């Protein structure tokens, strides 16, 4: 069996984070998602820990990736970096899990799993939804396109890198 979708999604996001971290001005992109210090745990280990308690299925990580793509498309100057990735990804996981999983935890449970106070998670959730234009809906077509871009190539096993707005519905030419 190949790599889990959660691992593939983290690998792609780590590439974006490394690009943003290499820019000298990344620390000036302030938001509620920024932490004052680098988290002591890698993004991969953090997501793995969250998944251990939330028990997300692979489709949740495709939706998380789509949400991050929407955020970047709507706010091109918003850089996902080492100071905000953990909070962004966890918040996206919470929103996707609430909307698309058969099970759903309380916000208090999500907060405990993520290591946040309930009030902070509630604010992060609202801010994230605002950043993606209150659009947490995912169509089958969008999901299929994102699945394609987050899957290894059958030819060489390498990951595709999803271009911004790849999940947008293509307009038909007249």
């Amino acid at each position: 069996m190949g790599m889990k979708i959660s691992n593939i999604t983290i690998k792609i996001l780590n590439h974006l984070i490394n690009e943003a971290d290499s820019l000298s001005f990344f620390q000036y992109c302030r938001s509620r998602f920024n932490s004052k210090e680098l988290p002591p745990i890698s993004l991969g280990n953090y997501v793995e820990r969250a998944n251990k308690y939330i028990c997300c299925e692979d489709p949740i990580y495709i939706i998380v990736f789509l949400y991050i793509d929407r955020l970047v498309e709507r706010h091109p100057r918003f850089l996902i970096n080492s100071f905000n990735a953990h909070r962004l990804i966890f918040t996206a996981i919470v929103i996707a899990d609430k909307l698309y999983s058969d099970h759903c935890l309380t916000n208090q449970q999500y907060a405990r799993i993520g290591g946040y106070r309930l009030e902070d998670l509630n604010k992060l959730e609202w801010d994230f939804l605002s950043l993606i234009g209150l659009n947490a809906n995912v169509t089958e077509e969008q999901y299929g396109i994102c699945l394609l871009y987050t899957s290894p190539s059958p030819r060489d096993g390498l990951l595709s890198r999803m271009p911004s707005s790849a999940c947008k519905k293509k307009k038909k030419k007249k």
Side-chain angles (χ1 to χ4, degrees):
M1 189 172 177
M3 284 179 87
K4 287 183 61 173
I5 295 294
S6 60
N7 294 338
I8 293 169
T9 302
I10 294 305
K11 190 171 183 175
I12 294 169
L13 290 170
N14 274 328
H15 178 74
L16 295 173
I17 292 164
N18 290 337
E19 283 182 8
D21 285 351
S22 69
L23 301 173
S24 61
F25 59 86
F26 80 92
Q27 68 259 18
Y28 300 110
C29 300
R30 298 285 179 220
S31 75
R32 188 182 309 276
F33 295 97
N34 281 54
S35 59
K36 294 177 184 172
E37 297 176 6
L38 286 174
I41 184 172
S42 73
L43 183 60
N45 288 342
Y46 183 69
V47 170
E48 189 176 302
R49 179 189 180 287
N51 192 46
K52 177 180 176 181
Y53 297 104
I54 299 174
C55 303
C56 297
E57 298 290 328
D58 280 349
I60 295 300
Y61 293 101
I62 300 295
I63 295 166
V64 165
F65 196 76
L66 184 118
Y67 288 169
I68 296 300
D69 187 64
R70 282 184 188 164
L71 188 154
V72 171
E73 182 185 353
R74 287 180 52 87
H75 306 279
R77 299 181 136 220
F78 191 103
L79 296 177
I80 300 169
N81 58 52
S82 295
F83 288 88
N84 63 21
H86 291 66
R87 291 178 184 176
L88 281 168
I89 303 306
F90 186 77
T91 305
I93 289 170
V94 168
I95 293 166
D97 193 59
K98 285 180 174 182
L99 293 174
Y100 293 101
S101 287
D102 290 335
H103 71 278
C104 185
L105 305 175
T106 66
N107 263 23
Q108 184 66 53
Q109 291 169 312
Y110 286 119
R112 197 172 318 122
I113 291 166
Y116 305 110
R117 294 178 330 145
L118 175 61
E119 301 78 26
D120 293 338
L121 180 61
N122 289 341
K123 290 174 185 175
L124 288 170
E125 191 174 358
W126 173 249
D127 285 359
F128 191 93
L129 286 167
S130 297
L131 285 169
I132 63 170
L134 301 177
N135 181 11
N137 184 48
V138 175
T139 67
E140 285 183 42
E141 182 180 12
Q142 291 168 327
Y143 179 85
I145 292 169
C146 289
L147 180 61
L148 173 69
Y149 279 104
T150 56
S151 299
S153 165
R155 182 172 37 107
D156 56 15
L158 298 176
L159 295 177
S160 302
R161 183 155 172 243
M162 186 170 157
S164 183
S165 72
C167 293
K168 242 179 134 174
K169 190 171 183 176
K170 304 290 182 204
K171 292 183 180 178
K172 294 181 181 178
K173 293 183 181 179
K174 291 184 179 182

